[in-house]
């Protein structure tokens, strides 16, 4: 039986949280070393290809900063908070008043839901897409309209526009999209935004920005902003920077919008350790480029292996791949789970597709060995 992603993550909770410390290559008499024996290990034998994390990160330099920051855990992160906001503003050439930090970009999505949605208001999103905003929209008593992706797995912007009305106060665009790793063309997005009602805000989730850079179809709405008050861009440190376990994301928007959202974040929502790690991660440009290069190689190898098996995944612009198995995804997921590999949950309505986060080469070799022993044909006989 499959449990929900949330329920499943909860069941793994203890070991996942502790694992961050366990993985650090700690030196000398670090306090975490002393604690290690009493902590459950993340190393439970499962290969994790289920959460689109950076399989290699964080970088060595970031790990060093992390180890040396633990001693300041008794202090609130108030001083560091502004420093990090300024640092991020600097990277993006925006004003600090245009940046809002969140406990993961998930907090930013929650805040957007409570700032812009509510009873009688409506969110329009793609289907399938990343589910956090929908979850919080419903919690805020909003209606949610989901519009199927196009046959090329782009957002169906015409369809979304056609369903929008004065009560549509928020549109969610995930680009590249999770779970499909596909892009929606920049010019089409600009066209949509220009046609949406003046009362409609647009969240553009760029969690996978760094993996999309090569495509001419793509440009970040932070790097190439529109002169447009209604656009809110979200980013995260959970992906290319390899800091998913420390929870940090942010929004870039106009000062007015940031002020509106600020009211809904938790006081002191950012921990004192991640502020330092994030600054180090932003400085370590070489490591980011290296992570991107490795992802490009791992992604190419995934496609080579898939093609060799007559499978054709959806073109990927992220650190994960979605692929049609022509078989109920739940059963495929169970097969991998039995073989100690976690892949993404089912993503209805794409019920025969699996989402596979790219792991390290040796993990991916195990993935393909496990694929090869699936007890049924792995591709369509009639397409
Ligand atoms: C598209 C997208 N947005 C946001 C998130 C949330 O990331 P976090 O809260 O770790 O920043 C994820 C995580 O998988 C994601 O795929």
């Amino acid at each position: 039986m499959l449990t929900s992603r949330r329920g499943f993550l909860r069941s793994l909770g203890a070991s996942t949280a502790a694992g961050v410390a366990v993985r650090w290559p700690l030196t000398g008499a670090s306090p975490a070393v002393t604690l290690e024996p009493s902590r459950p290990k993340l190393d439970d034998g499962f290969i994790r290809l289920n959460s689109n994390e950076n399989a290699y990160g964080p970088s060595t330099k970031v790990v060093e900063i992390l180890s040396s920051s633990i001693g300041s855990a008794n202090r609130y992160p108030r001083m560091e908070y502004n420093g990090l906001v300024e640092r991020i503003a600097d990277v993006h050439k925006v004003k600090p008043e245009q940046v809002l930090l969140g406990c993961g970009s998930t907090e930013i999505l929650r805040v957007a839901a409570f700032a812009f949605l509510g009873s009688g208001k409506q969110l329009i999103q793609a289907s399938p897409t990343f589910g956090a905003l929908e979850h919080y929209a419903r919690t805020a008593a909003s209606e949610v309209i989901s519009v199927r992706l196009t046959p090329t797995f782009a957002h169906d912007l015409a369809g979304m526009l056609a369903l929008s009305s004065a009560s549509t106060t928020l549109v969610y665009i995930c680009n590249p999209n999770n779970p499909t790793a596909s892009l929606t063309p920049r010019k089409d997005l600009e066209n949509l935004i220009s046609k949406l009602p003046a009362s409609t805000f647009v969240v553009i989730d760029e969690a996978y920005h760094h993996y999309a850079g090569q495509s001419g179809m793509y440009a970040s709405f932070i790097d190439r902003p529109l002169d447009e008050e209604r656009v809110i861009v979200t980013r995260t440190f959970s992906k290319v920077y390899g800091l998913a376990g420390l929870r940090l994301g942010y929004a870039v928007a106009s000062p007015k919008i940031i002020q509106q959202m600020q009211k809904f974040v938790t006081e002191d929502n950012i921990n004192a350790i991640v502020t330092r790690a994030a600054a180090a991660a932003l400085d370590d440009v070489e490591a980011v480029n290296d992570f991107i290069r490795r992802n490009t190689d791992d992604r190419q190898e995934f496609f080579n292996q898939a093609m060799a098996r007559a499978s054709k995944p959806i073109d990927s612009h992220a650190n994960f791949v979605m692929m049609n198995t022509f078989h109920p995804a739940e059963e495929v997921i169970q097969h991998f789970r039995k073989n100690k590999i976690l892949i993404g949950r089912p993503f209805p309505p794409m019920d025969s597709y699996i989402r596979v986060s790219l792991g390290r080469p040796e993990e991916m070799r195990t993935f393909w060995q496990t694929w090869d022993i699936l007890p049924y044909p792995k591709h369509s006989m009639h397409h």
Side-chain angles (χ1 to χ4, degrees), residues 352-371:
S352 62
Y353 284 77
I354 55 170
R355 191 197 67 189
V356 183
S357 310
L358 296 168
R360 295 169 176 246
E362 66 275 15
E363 295 176 319
M364 298 317 290
R365 277 193 290 277
T366 310
F367 170 86
W368 288 112
Q369 285 161 8
T370 308
W371 172 271

Side-chain angles (χ1 to χ4, degrees), residues 75 105 148 219 276 292 294 334:
R75 300 294 176 193
S105 52
R148 275 297 289 265
R276 294 164 194 236
I292 295 170
R294 291 197 211 196
Q334 280 310 312

Side-chain angles (χ1 to χ4, degrees), residues 5 51-52 103-107 109 129-130 132 172 174-178 205-208 234-239 243-244 247-250 320 355:
R5 176 168 181 263
S51 295
N52 304 344
C103 181
S105 52
T106 299
E107 186 182 26
L109 296 174
T129 194
F130 184 65
Y172 178 55
C174 185
N175 197 37
N177 187 49
N178 181 7
D205 185 334
E206 296 186 351
Y208 300 99
T234 64
R235 291 280 188 94
T236 180
F237 281 87
S238 298
K239 307 302 174 183
L243 291 169
R247 316 302 303 124
L248 181 68
Y250 60 94
F320 56 93
R355 191 197 67 189

Side-chain angles (χ1 to χ4, degrees), residues 246-266:
L246 292 188
R247 316 302 303 124
L248 181 68
Y250 60 94
V252 175
S254 72
K256 193 174 129 202
I257 299 303
I258 293 296
Q259 220 173 28
Q260 245 174 291
M261 296 203 295
Q262 179 92 55
K263 294 179 223 151
F264 294 89
V265 297
T266 302

Side-chain angles (χ1 to χ4, degrees), residues 91-328:
V91 166
H92 293 309
K93 302 181 179 63
V94 298
K95 299 191 208 90
E97 302 84 67
Q98 290 181 262
V99 176
L100 179 65
L101 303 183
C103 181
S105 52
T106 299
E107 186 182 26
I108 302 292
L109 296 174
R110 178 180 65 73
V111 160
F114 285 92
F116 305 115
L117 291 164
S119 177
K121 295 176 178 172
Q122 187 184 71
L123 167 71
I124 298 188
Q125 63 169 11
S127 171
T129 194
F130 184 65
L133 188 50
E134 169 174 5
H135 171 78
Y136 293 116
R138 291 193 192 281
T139 306
S142 308
E143 190 191 345
V144 178
I145 297 184
S146 301
V147 182
R148 275 297 289 265
L149 296 169
T150 68
T152 57
F153 305 99
H155 288 63
D156 177 5
L157 301 176
M160 294 169 89
L161 186 63
L163 289 166
S164 69
S165 65
S167 60
T168 308
T169 49
L170 199 60
V171 171
Y172 178 55
I173 304 287
C174 185
N175 197 37
N177 187 49
N178 181 7
T180 47
S182 49
L183 287 180
T184 301
R186 162 83 187 200
K187 63 174 186 346
D188 299 348
L189 289 171
E190 288 183 18
N191 183 46
L192 169 83
I193 293 163
S194 72
K195 288 182 177 154
L196 283 171
S199 53
T200 309
F201 292 87
V202 182
V203 167
I204 302 183
D205 185 334
E206 296 186 351
Y208 300 99
H209 161 79
H210 290 87
Y211 303 115
Q214 319 294 30
S215 172
M217 253 207 315
Y218 176 83
S220 163
F221 280 82
I222 299 180
D223 301 341
R224 261 177 52 202
L226 301 178
D227 185 16
E228 181 54 74
E229 278 257 300
R230 297 171 301 158
V231 175
I232 301 138
V233 185
T234 64
R235 291 280 188 94
T236 180
F237 281 87
S238 298
K239 307 302 174 183
V240 82
Y241 299 110
L243 291 169
L246 292 188
R247 316 302 303 124
L248 181 68
Y250 60 94
V252 175
S254 72
K256 193 174 129 202
I257 299 303
I258 293 296
Q259 220 173 28
Q260 245 174 291
M261 296 203 295
Q262 179 92 55
K263 294 179 223 151
F264 294 89
V265 297
T266 302
E267 278 298 310
D268 297 316
N269 58 345
I270 303 307
N271 71 74
I273 311 297
V274 79
T275 53
R276 294 164 194 236
L282 290 173
D283 285 339
D284 201 353
V285 175
E286 213 174 297
V288 169
N289 289 334
D290 186 47
F291 289 143
I292 295 170
R293 251 191 316 273
R294 291 197 211 196
N295 186 69
T296 305
D297 291 348
D298 294 343
R299 190 166 55 190
Q300 185 58 55
E301 178 61 15
F302 188 97
F303 276 75
N304 293 346
Q305 294 296 330
M307 301 293 217
R309 291 162 174 83
S311 284
K312 194 179 175 306
I314 297 173
D315 200 13
S316 168
H317 301 270
N319 63 344
F320 56 93
V321 179
M322 201 179 204
M323 179 163 68
N324 197 350
T325 65
F326 300 95
H327 196 86

